[in-house]
Amino acid sequence: MVRLEHIGKRWDDGAELLHDISLALAPGDFCFLTGASGAGKTTLLKMIFREEVPSEGQILVNGRNVSSIPARKIPYLRRTIGVVFQDFRLIPRKTVFENVTYLPRILGLDQRGQRKAAFHALRRVGLAHRLSAFPPQLSGGEQQRVAIARALINEPEILIADEPTGNLDPDLSREILRLFLEVNLRGTTVILATHDRDTIERAGGRVVTLDHGRLHSDLELVGSEPPRLEPPREEAEGGDGEAGDAEAPA
Amino acid sequence: MSLLQALRYFFREALVNLFRGWKVSLLAVLTITVSLCLGGTFLLASRNLSQAVERWRAETRVVIYLRPDTSGDDLQRLAREAAEPPWVAAVTPVSPADARRRFQQSFPSLGGLVEGLGEEPLPASLEIRLRGGARPAAFEAWLAGWRKRPGVSLVDDDREWLRQLETLIAVLRGVGFALGAVLLGAAIFTIASVIRLTAYLHQEEISILRLVGATEFFIRGPFYAEGLLQGLLGSGVALVGLYAAFRAVHARVASSLFASMLASDFLSLRQLAFLVLLGSLAGLLGAIASLRRESL
């Protein structure tokens, strides 16, 4: 699914940011990417969705070298990858519905199709009742869940999250982590970058550690307090357990 | 996404952007309006002047002024002679007495000037109305012949001042287009700045669009549509303003030669379409220029 082969990255001034990173992720894998600030986590993630290009090596996503695809094909790669950031990146003047339906609009879905897609994505993160709210009306945890819904709306094969809990308190961080694990349980490959060792040690799983741009370790960790996950529900079952003004898709 | 869906999305987003940033958009629209108003005014003036020249050309006259000692019989004889060539439509012999009466009718307040002088102060003349169409080379020779005749004091050819008027129209048109082009350049620059500002304000949204897989066409489309709409709006306002000014001047056509020369007819449909197209193109060009080097 995702294969990094001897990846290196140098800035124009010659400074080396990443050195000889090799890594392979199979479909349905969940992987923590950790390391101190400046270790190169964000740059590595950006290379997967082609916001950065490696100076050396190649990155294969579904067997395709993403660093050599032509610029006009990049959007099509990105439609298969969901990305979540620490700062949510929601547009405050747009409603939750508008914020999550960027991709359906790009794909040309009509209003009904957009509402349906938004409803399903938001239901997965427990926010189907906040379609018409604006981001400033939501808590930090809710805003991050909207950002996750936006990333999930097209059922991506890969979900990349860069410090998604960095701005959240420990309780909300656990809640968001559980969401990512649930998404992973449905078959999506998840790569989650964090420097929060506590979260990783509690959850456990595959942990790739970078240190000063080099691969320090790649190991399986047994979590001290792994979150209890519910098996994925079928969409047809309906209901997200939230009360309020949940709207059925028009 | 089909092209039609994309266009609908572009124009919807562009309208929202125009509405949200109406103050800066207004600036762009007004610069287009001013430049097209100016260009349109010159176009309107030159169109009406050209039409006036055409009308006058159809009524072109040659007036041959004769010496004061020309007798009535000579006047009639010369009139018959002048009517012979095929380019002459009609000849009106004007005796000195007729000329004085006309003067007194045309300028009643100055009538006393030509009264009581003993002899007629104005010379006899032949007013020759010419047929329309091109003048053969023989026409010029014919005129030259009249100029050389001993009984003729002056040959006044209307075509002289029509030629001068045509030169004036050409200059007017050139100046109008030059000024319009300069102002249109300024409008393109303003629109480019406004679009760049709008793009800057939407930077975050653009980064999200790019992140979720929007193509460059999809990202830039709304900005191009916004430029186009600004151009369309600007040209629309310019045409309304131009028409209002035309109506105001046109109301005086009957009483003012100046008004009749400049505002007898409004612009043709083709000219109106040209101005709208020019405004829209200026808007689109502004948008393209503003985003050409932007990585957005």
PDB file of all heavy atoms in Angstrom, chain A residues 67-85:
ATOM      1  N   SER A  67       6.523  10.374  -6.280  1.00  0.00           N
ATOM      2  CA  SER A  67       7.405  11.522  -6.502  1.00  0.00           C
ATOM      3  C   SER A  67       7.660  11.773  -7.983  1.00  0.00           C
ATOM      4  O   SER A  67       8.186  12.811  -8.360  1.00  0.00           O
ATOM      5  CB  SER A  67       8.727  11.345  -5.752  1.00  0.00           C
ATOM      6  OG  SER A  67       9.222  10.050  -5.933  1.00  0.00           O
ATOM      7  N   SER A  68       7.257  10.822  -8.826  1.00  0.00           N
ATOM      8  CA  SER A  68       7.502  11.041 -10.257  1.00  0.00           C
ATOM      9  C   SER A  68       6.213  11.252 -11.047  1.00  0.00           C
ATOM     10  O   SER A  68       6.257  11.387 -12.265  1.00  0.00           O
ATOM     11  CB  SER A  68       8.281   9.854 -10.834  1.00  0.00           C
ATOM     12  OG  SER A  68       7.470   8.706 -10.811  1.00  0.00           O
ATOM     13  N   ILE A  69       5.075  11.286 -10.357  1.00  0.00           N
ATOM     14  CA  ILE A  69       3.846  11.480 -11.133  1.00  0.00           C
ATOM     15  C   ILE A  69       3.756  12.946 -11.581  1.00  0.00           C
ATOM     16  O   ILE A  69       4.183  13.850 -10.874  1.00  0.00           O
ATOM     17  CB  ILE A  69       2.556  11.074 -10.362  1.00  0.00           C
ATOM     18  CG1 ILE A  69       2.408  11.877  -9.074  1.00  0.00           C
ATOM     19  CG2 ILE A  69       2.511   9.608 -10.100  1.00  0.00           C
ATOM     20  CD1 ILE A  69       1.068  11.625  -8.389  1.00  0.00           C
ATOM     21  N   PRO A  70       3.194  13.192 -12.777  1.00  0.00           N
ATOM     22  CA  PRO A  70       3.115  14.577 -13.262  1.00  0.00           C
ATOM     23  C   PRO A  70       2.184  15.416 -12.378  1.00  0.00           C
ATOM     24  O   PRO A  70       1.259  14.879 -11.755  1.00  0.00           O
ATOM     25  CB  PRO A  70       2.550  14.431 -14.669  1.00  0.00           C
ATOM     26  CG  PRO A  70       1.990  13.062 -14.758  1.00  0.00           C
ATOM     27  CD  PRO A  70       2.654  12.226 -13.733  1.00  0.00           C
ATOM     28  N   ALA A  71       2.455  16.709 -12.352  1.00  0.00           N
ATOM     29  CA  ALA A  71       1.716  17.625 -11.469  1.00  0.00           C
ATOM     30  C   ALA A  71       0.202  17.518 -11.676  1.00  0.00           C
ATOM     31  O   ALA A  71      -0.564  17.592 -10.717  1.00  0.00           O
ATOM     32  CB  ALA A  71       2.178  19.057 -11.714  1.00  0.00           C
ATOM     33  N   ARG A  72      -0.219  17.336 -12.922  1.00  0.00           N
ATOM     34  CA  ARG A  72      -1.672  17.314 -13.175  1.00  0.00           C
ATOM     35  C   ARG A  72      -2.351  16.078 -12.602  1.00  0.00           C
ATOM     36  O   ARG A  72      -3.568  16.017 -12.479  1.00  0.00           O
ATOM     37  CB  ARG A  72      -1.945  17.449 -14.675  1.00  0.00           C
ATOM     38  CG  ARG A  72      -1.456  16.301 -15.488  1.00  0.00           C
ATOM     39  CD  ARG A  72      -1.493  16.573 -16.984  1.00  0.00           C
ATOM     40  NE  ARG A  72      -0.637  15.647 -17.679  1.00  0.00           N
ATOM     41  CZ  ARG A  72      -0.976  14.424 -18.013  1.00  0.00           C
ATOM     42  NH1 ARG A  72      -2.178  13.975 -17.711  1.00  0.00           N
ATOM     43  NH2 ARG A  72      -0.128  13.634 -18.630  1.00  0.00           N
ATOM     44  N   LYS A  73      -1.538  15.068 -12.246  1.00  0.00           N
ATOM     45  CA  LYS A  73      -2.123  13.839 -11.690  1.00  0.00           C
ATOM     46  C   LYS A  73      -2.154  13.867 -10.156  1.00  0.00           C
ATOM     47  O   LYS A  73      -2.797  13.009  -9.546  1.00  0.00           O
ATOM     48  CB  LYS A  73      -1.297  12.625 -12.147  1.00  0.00           C
ATOM     49  CG  LYS A  73      -1.343  12.354 -13.646  1.00  0.00           C
ATOM     50  CD  LYS A  73      -2.509  11.438 -13.961  1.00  0.00           C
ATOM     51  CE  LYS A  73      -2.689  11.225 -15.445  1.00  0.00           C
ATOM     52  NZ  LYS A  73      -1.769  10.281 -16.018  1.00  0.00           N
ATOM     53  N   ILE A  74      -1.473  14.847  -9.573  1.00  0.00           N
ATOM     54  CA  ILE A  74      -1.399  14.888  -8.097  1.00  0.00           C
ATOM     55  C   ILE A  74      -2.795  14.953  -7.451  1.00  0.00           C
ATOM     56  O   ILE A  74      -3.059  14.240  -6.479  1.00  0.00           O
ATOM     57  CB  ILE A  74      -0.505  16.064  -7.633  1.00  0.00           C
ATOM     58  CG1 ILE A  74       0.935  15.817  -8.090  1.00  0.00           C
ATOM     59  CG2 ILE A  74      -0.539  16.211  -6.113  1.00  0.00           C
ATOM     60  CD1 ILE A  74       1.869  16.995  -7.867  1.00  0.00           C
ATOM     61  N   PRO A  75      -3.708  15.789  -7.977  1.00  0.00           N
ATOM     62  CA  PRO A  75      -5.036  15.840  -7.341  1.00  0.00           C
ATOM     63  C   PRO A  75      -5.707  14.467  -7.245  1.00  0.00           C
ATOM     64  O   PRO A  75      -6.385  14.180  -6.254  1.00  0.00           O
ATOM     65  CB  PRO A  75      -5.835  16.765  -8.259  1.00  0.00           C
ATOM     66  CG  PRO A  75      -4.811  17.628  -8.899  1.00  0.00           C
ATOM     67  CD  PRO A  75      -3.604  16.761  -9.071  1.00  0.00           C
ATOM     68  N   TYR A  76      -5.491  13.645  -8.262  1.00  0.00           N
ATOM     69  CA  TYR A  76      -6.152  12.320  -8.260  1.00  0.00           C
ATOM     70  C   TYR A  76      -5.541  11.411  -7.197  1.00  0.00           C
ATOM     71  O   TYR A  76      -6.233  10.595  -6.600  1.00  0.00           O
ATOM     72  CB  TYR A  76      -6.082  11.708  -9.661  1.00  0.00           C
ATOM     73  CG  TYR A  76      -6.710  12.628 -10.675  1.00  0.00           C
ATOM     74  CD1 TYR A  76      -5.926  13.473 -11.461  1.00  0.00           C
ATOM     75  CD2 TYR A  76      -8.092  12.722 -10.800  1.00  0.00           C
ATOM     76  CE1 TYR A  76      -6.498  14.363 -12.345  1.00  0.00           C
ATOM     77  CE2 TYR A  76      -8.671  13.607 -11.679  1.00  0.00           C
ATOM     78  CZ  TYR A  76      -7.878  14.434 -12.459  1.00  0.00           C
ATOM     79  OH  TYR A  76      -8.461  15.327 -13.316  1.00  0.00           O
ATOM     80  N   LEU A  77      -4.241  11.569  -6.936  1.00  0.00           N
ATOM     81  CA  LEU A  77      -3.594  10.826  -5.846  1.00  0.00           C
ATOM     82  C   LEU A  77      -4.197  11.273  -4.514  1.00  0.00           C
ATOM     83  O   LEU A  77      -4.552  10.439  -3.670  1.00  0.00           O
ATOM     84  CB  LEU A  77      -2.081  11.106  -5.852  1.00  0.00           C
ATOM     85  CG  LEU A  77      -1.339  10.704  -4.571  1.00  0.00           C
ATOM     86  CD1 LEU A  77      -1.107   9.189  -4.550  1.00  0.00           C
ATOM     87  CD2 LEU A  77      -0.012  11.446  -4.432  1.00  0.00           C
ATOM     88  N   ARG A  78      -4.334  12.597  -4.359  1.00  0.00           N
ATOM     89  CA  ARG A  78      -4.794  13.139  -3.076  1.00  0.00           C
ATOM     90  C   ARG A  78      -6.231  12.761  -2.758  1.00  0.00           C
ATOM     91  O   ARG A  78      -6.628  12.764  -1.597  1.00  0.00           O
ATOM     92  CB  ARG A  78      -4.610  14.656  -3.059  1.00  0.00           C
ATOM     93  CG  ARG A  78      -3.145  15.018  -3.019  1.00  0.00           C
ATOM     94  CD  ARG A  78      -2.923  16.488  -2.923  1.00  0.00           C
ATOM     95  NE  ARG A  78      -1.491  16.771  -2.902  1.00  0.00           N
ATOM     96  CZ  ARG A  78      -0.951  17.959  -3.099  1.00  0.00           C
ATOM     97  NH1 ARG A  78      -1.746  18.991  -3.318  1.00  0.00           N
ATOM     98  NH2 ARG A  78       0.345  18.130  -3.076  1.00  0.00           N
ATOM     99  N   ARG A  79      -7.004  12.472  -3.787  1.00  0.00           N
ATOM    100  CA  ARG A  79      -8.394  12.066  -3.537  1.00  0.00           C
ATOM    101  C   ARG A  79      -8.470  10.699  -2.877  1.00  0.00           C
ATOM    102  O   ARG A  79      -9.524  10.298  -2.384  1.00  0.00           O
ATOM    103  CB  ARG A  79      -9.185  12.063  -4.845  1.00  0.00           C
ATOM    104  CG  ARG A  79      -9.414  13.466  -5.368  1.00  0.00           C
ATOM    105  CD  ARG A  79     -10.088  13.483  -6.716  1.00  0.00           C
ATOM    106  NE  ARG A  79      -9.948  14.809  -7.330  1.00  0.00           N
ATOM    107  CZ  ARG A  79     -10.402  15.131  -8.521  1.00  0.00           C
ATOM    108  NH1 ARG A  79     -11.039  14.240  -9.245  1.00  0.00           N
ATOM    109  NH2 ARG A  79     -10.225  16.348  -8.991  1.00  0.00           N
ATOM    110  N   THR A  80      -7.357   9.959  -2.906  1.00  0.00           N
ATOM    111  CA  THR A  80      -7.364   8.617  -2.291  1.00  0.00           C
ATOM    112  C   THR A  80      -6.716   8.648  -0.900  1.00  0.00           C
ATOM    113  O   THR A  80      -6.594   7.626  -0.260  1.00  0.00           O
ATOM    114  CB  THR A  80      -6.590   7.608  -3.169  1.00  0.00           C
ATOM    115  OG1 THR A  80      -5.202   8.006  -3.207  1.00  0.00           O
ATOM    116  CG2 THR A  80      -7.140   7.554  -4.572  1.00  0.00           C
ATOM    117  N   ILE A  81      -6.286   9.846  -0.495  1.00  0.00           N
ATOM    118  CA  ILE A  81      -5.611   9.977   0.796  1.00  0.00           C
ATOM    119  C   ILE A  81      -6.312  11.048   1.628  1.00  0.00           C
ATOM    120  O   ILE A  81      -6.474  12.184   1.164  1.00  0.00           O
ATOM    121  CB  ILE A  81      -4.125  10.382   0.592  1.00  0.00           C
ATOM    122  CG1 ILE A  81      -3.398   9.336  -0.268  1.00  0.00           C
ATOM    123  CG2 ILE A  81      -3.422  10.539   1.940  1.00  0.00           C
ATOM    124  CD1 ILE A  81      -1.974   9.734  -0.646  1.00  0.00           C
ATOM    125  N   GLY A  82      -6.723  10.688   2.835  1.00  0.00           N
ATOM    126  CA  GLY A  82      -7.309  11.683   3.732  1.00  0.00           C
ATOM    127  C   GLY A  82      -6.202  12.243   4.613  1.00  0.00           C
ATOM    128  O   GLY A  82      -5.319  11.499   5.047  1.00  0.00           O
ATOM    129  N   VAL A  83      -6.260  13.551   4.861  1.00  0.00           N
ATOM    130  CA  VAL A  83      -5.204  14.170   5.685  1.00  0.00           C
ATOM    131  C   VAL A  83      -5.844  15.006   6.797  1.00  0.00           C
ATOM    132  O   VAL A  83      -6.793  15.750   6.555  1.00  0.00           O
ATOM    133  CB  VAL A  83      -4.284  15.067   4.829  1.00  0.00           C
ATOM    134  CG1 VAL A  83      -3.120  15.585   5.665  1.00  0.00           C
ATOM    135  CG2 VAL A  83      -3.745  14.319   3.621  1.00  0.00           C
ATOM    136  N   VAL A  84      -5.315  14.817   8.012  1.00  0.00           N
ATOM    137  CA  VAL A  84      -5.815  15.575   9.170  1.00  0.00           C
ATOM    138  C   VAL A  84      -4.618  16.278   9.815  1.00  0.00           C
ATOM    139  O   VAL A  84      -3.551  15.682   9.954  1.00  0.00           O
ATOM    140  CB  VAL A  84      -6.481  14.623  10.190  1.00  0.00           C
ATOM    141  CG1 VAL A  84      -6.939  15.384  11.427  1.00  0.00           C
ATOM    142  CG2 VAL A  84      -7.655  13.894   9.555  1.00  0.00           C
ATOM    143  N   PHE A  85      -4.832  17.551  10.193  1.00  0.00           N
ATOM    144  CA  PHE A  85      -3.739  18.323  10.790  1.00  0.00           C
ATOM    145  C   PHE A  85      -4.048  18.680  12.239  1.00  0.00           C
ATOM    146  O   PHE A  85      -5.200  18.662  12.665  1.00  0.00           O
ATOM    147  CB  PHE A  85      -3.521  19.615   9.998  1.00  0.00           C
ATOM    148  CG  PHE A  85      -3.015  19.377   8.612  1.00  0.00           C
ATOM    149  CD1 PHE A  85      -3.888  19.354   7.532  1.00  0.00           C
ATOM    150  CD2 PHE A  85      -1.672  19.158   8.372  1.00  0.00           C
ATOM    151  CE1 PHE A  85      -3.434  19.133   6.248  1.00  0.00           C
ATOM    152  CE2 PHE A  85      -1.203  18.934   7.084  1.00  0.00           C
ATOM    153  CZ  PHE A  85      -2.088  18.911   6.023  1.00  0.00           C
TER     154      PHE A  85
END
